[in-house]
Amino acid sequence: LTVLMAQDEGKLSIDDSPKKYLSYFHMADPETDKNIKIRDLMRHASGLNRTDLAMMTGKFNRQQLIQVAGQAKPTAKLGEKFQYQNIMFGAVGEIAAAVEKLPYERLVTERVFQPLGMSNSTMSLKQMQKARDFSYGYSYNFDTKQTERVPFRDIDEIAPAGAINSSARDMAEWLRFVMNGGEANGKRLLSQAGYDEWTKPQMKIAAGADYGFGWFLQDWNGLKVVQHGGNIDGFNSLVAMIPEKKLGFVMLTNVGASSLGADLMPIVWENILGKPAPVESEKLPLITMQKMIGKYRLEAASLDVDVKVDGDYMVMTLPGQPPYTLKRTAPRTFKPEGLPDGFGVKFSPETGDATELALSQPGAPISKLYRILPDGSLAKPAGAEPASAPKADPTITVAELRDKVITALGGETAIRKVNSRVANFDISLDNQGVRGHGTSWTKAPGKAATETVLTALGKKIASGWEYFDGTSGEQIWTFAPADRYTGKRLADARRNADLYAGLDWNQFKKVTVVGVKKIGDEDAYQVRFEVNDGTDYTEYFSTRTFLLLRHNGVEVSSTSSQRIPFTVTYSDYRSVDGLMLPFKTVANSIAQGDVVTTVRSIKQNVKIDDRVFAARKVK
């Protein structure tokens, strides 16, 4: 809003380069650096994924955070796809402040809060806590069923991305302003042209979802919905409007990662405007639904999705989540009720039995899932992923492959001779602009700990400690409260701490050699591990060396229903005391991008005091 107001005043153009106003602004990709415009920052088209890590540490000011982001490797070309980017919005705020010659906090207070009468809104936690009725924030643990108070997080350095503390009354004034087309109390604060730019589609997210300048845009029953949510430690919010109907609401809650906003939105619209008319009739004939139901698998994350018929509708179930009713928006396209807007499901082909399910979500690439056939194989259509699709049934049994994998590592005797391992490593978070180093300790029968120090712009910004003591564990960072392992996370930590976990494949509920697939330039056996406790995963073993090349899994959270797919690629195997160990790994997830770990040294069978595997203070 402040940038568009400045454009109205002739002080800038959103088609200017950010460099015109911020001399230190730089992007790692030369083409992006040359061609990026202010509008690209506001529509999340910079090519960077979330570079929030440096922000979370609280060690940098706004300018420094922008510089850290400028050192991050992009995950897309300029304008190629929507990727939510808080730091780029920080740059947008700094540009507005620069041309108006006011600190950003004063600019918003004087140009927005005061004209709108938002007298109870602040951009500082210290100011917020002066209110008689300020709220504490909480998180809810789905495993322990406990609610815990969360410390406040001061995000002044990234205020343009969401540091406003407000109240229901003040936010009602904000709704009125937006739904009045940029007018407040009879006075226009934003031109009609500026307002139109603000709220029109600027970037495609997925089917049925676009982004304006700071607004998610979608259709509801033929009406335009303008909305945006927010989430930070202990707090969650949603601002949503149908301007055409002068209808909007704000939801403010003091529980982090709450799904309440997405749940409330259709209820508000339906109860005031009436239930939407079905698109080509939401109800499908049973015979049509039967062609689409079944189990589908996302190979990259070893994630299965189950689609069933429930009454007049199909429902979709993801592991650890409630069923989502699929409401039809097009012939084979559906909106999962209860998931945030922007999520969508599409079945293909258009005729005949569905073999493929495409799952779309805001800010992420479309995920293709394939139907699981009765024999456990995937029903991929001809020509699907030709370079990486698994080949026909492999000519090796699970037992034969397990024995070859153990032999390739050095043999069971050599593996069991190792009772401890200490590794020193360097780490590069390529898509975050952050580096680091650390040490890990592992001790039989099942204890592990890792210490990590992170750096950026040549200075230490954070340190972390995670451990599993054989029974319990947690992750601790200098910028966050201790995060105790519970549920599936605890089970995964137990398995990862076991030096001998790879020896016993009988411990799993089921192990399946799915086929042979290309990993880079190498053929690999694709093996699916279904666990009794924790999360299932898939691993790929070289058909030539039988060493592990890749691990695909999902990262689960105890305080939200989020499941983040990740991959770890292993290379640079070296012999250490007769065992083949990888000296380089590349972990990739939507949240962090590529995290490259390079091992500097490994020592085995060294004495490690059990007191290492315990909670500690980090600084």
Side-chain angles (χ1 to χ4, degrees):
L1 174 60
T2 53
V3 165
L4 292 169
M5 290 165 71
Q7 179 170 256
D8 283 347
E9 297 164 354
K11 295 178 178 178
L12 59 74
S13 165
I14 58 174
D15 288 313
D16 288 339
S17 167
K19 293 173 177 288
K20 182 175 179 180
Y21 308 99
L22 307 179
S23 60
Y24 54 84
F25 187 93
H26 174 77
M27 300 293 282
D29 178 70
E31 282 299 307
T32 301
D33 189 57
K34 176 182 176 183
N35 298 312
I36 195 166
K37 300 175 181 178
I38 295 173
R39 69 164 61 243
D40 296 316
L41 310 185
M42 297 200 292
R43 66 191 186 110
H44 296 300
S46 68
L48 295 178
N49 72 336
R50 284 180 179 260
T51 54
D52 289 347
L53 183 57
M55 174 191 78
M56 297 293 284
T57 68
K59 295 295 184 181
F60 290 128
N61 61 29
R62 209 165 295 160
Q63 175 179 330
Q64 291 169 324
L65 286 174
I66 296 167
Q67 290 173 307
V68 171
Q71 295 183 358
K73 291 182 180 179
T75 51
K77 291 293 184 182
L78 178 65
E80 182 181 0
K81 63 181 180 179
F82 176 88
Q83 296 186 115
Y84 202 91
Q85 232 299 328
N86 284 310
I87 309 303
M88 293 298 99
F89 255 76
V92 171
E94 284 297 87
I95 290 169
V99 300
E100 298 288 6
K101 296 181 172 55
L102 282 174
Y104 180 77
E105 290 75 6
R106 273 190 60 194
L107 173 62
V108 171
T109 300
E110 295 178 11
R111 299 291 300 277
V112 181
F113 291 167
Q114 291 176 3
L116 269 55
M118 297 174 66
S119 58
N120 198 30
S121 299
T122 71
M123 300 189 72
S124 160
L125 280 175
K126 290 179 181 177
Q127 285 179 279
M128 183 268 289
Q129 291 176 73
K130 292 179 181 178
R132 292 172 301 177
D133 59 349
F134 74 87
S135 179
Y136 293 110
Y138 296 85
S139 68
Y140 176 74
N141 189 303
F142 290 92
D143 299 320
T144 64
K145 312 301 182 188
Q146 293 180 337
T147 302
E148 295 184 3
R149 184 170 150 187
V150 178
F152 287 128
R153 181 181 295 280
D154 195 326
I155 56 170
D156 289 0
E157 68 277 5
I158 198 63
I164 293 175
N165 314 293
S166 193
S167 64
R169 193 209 69 82
D170 273 19
M171 291 304 295
E173 298 304 325
W174 173 247
L175 284 177
R176 290 189 179 99
F177 168 71
V178 180
M179 289 192 291
N180 283 334
E183 288 188 12
N185 301 314
K187 180 182 178 183
R188 179 166 285 283
L189 302 185
L190 180 65
S191 69
Q192 185 62 51
Y195 180 85
D196 292 342
E197 282 285 325
W198 196 25
T199 57
K200 79 177 184 181
Q202 302 283 352
M203 190 73 182
K204 174 64 69 177
I205 300 174
D210 296 286
Y211 200 79
F213 287 151
W215 293 112
F216 288 101
L217 309 169
Q218 68 251 8
D219 177 271
W220 182 84
N221 196 26
L223 300 171
K224 178 182 178 181
V225 175
V226 179
Q227 60 94 357
H228 206 296
N231 192 71
I232 193 172
D233 312 50
F235 296 93
N236 186 264
S237 65
L238 180 68
V239 178
M241 293 160 281
I242 300 180
E244 181 180 340
K245 295 294 184 179
K246 299 290 193 220
L247 173 62
F249 78 95
V250 174
M251 190 268 324
L252 306 175
T253 183
N254 60 337
V255 178
S258 171
S259 64
L260 189 57
D263 296 339
L264 273 178
M265 188 151 47
I267 295 172
V268 172
W269 303 154
E270 289 177 7
N271 278 274
I272 296 176
L273 299 176
K275 290 201 171 187
V279 179
E280 297 183 15
S281 174
E282 285 182 349
K283 298 179 182 178
L284 286 170
L286 179 60
I287 190 171
T288 303
M289 292 192 288
Q290 286 174 335
K291 292 180 179 180
M292 291 184 273
I293 63 174
K295 287 193 174 183
Y296 296 80
R297 177 169 297 156
L298 175 60
E299 287 183 280
S302 297
L303 177 70
D304 287 353
V305 169
D306 197 7
V307 179
K308 298 179 179 179
V309 173
D310 183 7
D312 293 325
Y313 297 98
M314 291 188 296
V315 295
M316 178 182 74
T317 304
L318 287 76
Q321 299 187 38
Y324 298 104
T325 299
L326 298 180
K327 290 296 183 72
R328 190 157 68 123
T329 57
R332 282 190 170 233
T333 303
F334 300 81
K335 165 79 170 67
E337 282 200 334
L339 285 178
D341 285 290
F343 280 81
V345 171
K346 183 175 183 179
F347 295 87
S348 59
E350 293 296 324
T351 58
D353 293 344
T355 57
E356 181 182 313
L357 183 156
L359 181 63
S360 59
Q361 56 181 307
I366 293 175
S367 300
K368 289 187 178 181
L369 296 85
Y370 297 102
R371 183 190 291 276
I372 303 173
L373 297 175
D375 63 359
S377 62
L378 301 184
K380 292 192 176 183
E385 300 181 354
S388 59
K391 297 178 183 176
D393 291 342
T395 56
I396 193 170
T397 67
V398 170
E400 289 170 340
L401 180 57
R402 177 201 60 208
D403 291 344
K404 288 182 179 294
V405 168
I406 292 172
T407 299
L409 288 172
E412 183 170 354
T413 301
I415 293 172
R416 291 198 181 277
K417 279 184 179 178
V418 176
N419 56 50
S420 68
R421 180 175 296 141
V422 179
N424 294 299
F425 59 85
D426 293 321
I427 187 170
S428 174
L429 291 88
D430 287 353
N431 305 118
Q432 295 284 329
V434 174
R435 302 286 183 269
H437 60 271
T439 303
S440 66
W441 297 262
T442 313
K443 182 178 180 179
K447 298 181 179 182
T450 302
E451 181 179 43
T452 308
V453 174
L454 299 179
T455 62
L457 299 184
K459 68 182 260 186
K460 176 182 173 180
I461 60 171
S463 59
W465 176 255
E466 55 184 315
Y467 74 92
F468 178 75
D469 63 10
T471 303
S472 61
E474 60 186 2
Q475 186 178 59
I476 310 162
W477 285 96
T478 47
F479 54 83
D483 184 9
R484 293 191 303 277
Y485 298 149
T486 57
K488 292 182 181 294
R489 287 187 69 200
L490 182 62
D492 289 346
R494 180 179 292 108
R495 185 178 62 248
N496 294 335
D498 186 356
L499 277 170
Y500 313 131
L503 295 174
D504 182 15
W505 288 18
N506 292 322
Q507 66 177 297
F508 296 95
K509 184 192 304 182
K510 186 178 180 182
V511 180
T512 307
V513 182
V514 178
V516 176
K517 184 176 180 178
K518 281 284 187 185
I519 299 298
D521 297 328
E522 196 161 355
D523 283 339
Y525 291 112
Q526 178 181 342
V527 185
R528 180 168 171 78
F529 294 86
E530 297 178 42
V531 303
N532 293 299
D533 196 9
T535 56
D536 297 340
Y537 58 92
T538 299
E539 293 193 328
Y540 300 85
F541 299 92
S542 167
T543 59
R544 179 178 57 86
T545 66
F546 297 97
L547 294 172
L548 178 62
L549 300 180
R550 180 174 293 173
H551 172 103
N552 289 357
V554 289
E555 181 182 334
V556 295
S557 170
S558 297
T559 55
S560 80
S561 57
Q562 193 174 45
R563 295 170 61 92
I564 301 177
F566 71 89
T567 66
V568 183
T569 304
Y570 303 86
S571 62
D572 191 17
Y573 277 87
R574 304 180 194 179
S575 178
V576 180
D577 302 325
L579 296 183
M580 295 299 290
L581 302 175
F583 271 61
K584 181 179 180 180
T585 63
V586 181
N588 177 274
S589 69
I590 293 173
Q592 298 292 350
D594 283 344
V595 180
V596 182
T597 301
T598 305
V599 175
R600 287 187 276 112
S601 67
I602 294 178
K603 293 182 179 180
Q604 301 189 124
N605 295 325
V606 295
K607 187 175 181 180
I608 305 176
D609 193 313
D610 280 349
R611 287 177 293 183
V612 168
F613 309 102
R616 65 161 65 171
K617 288 185 177 181
V618 290
K619 55 185 178 180

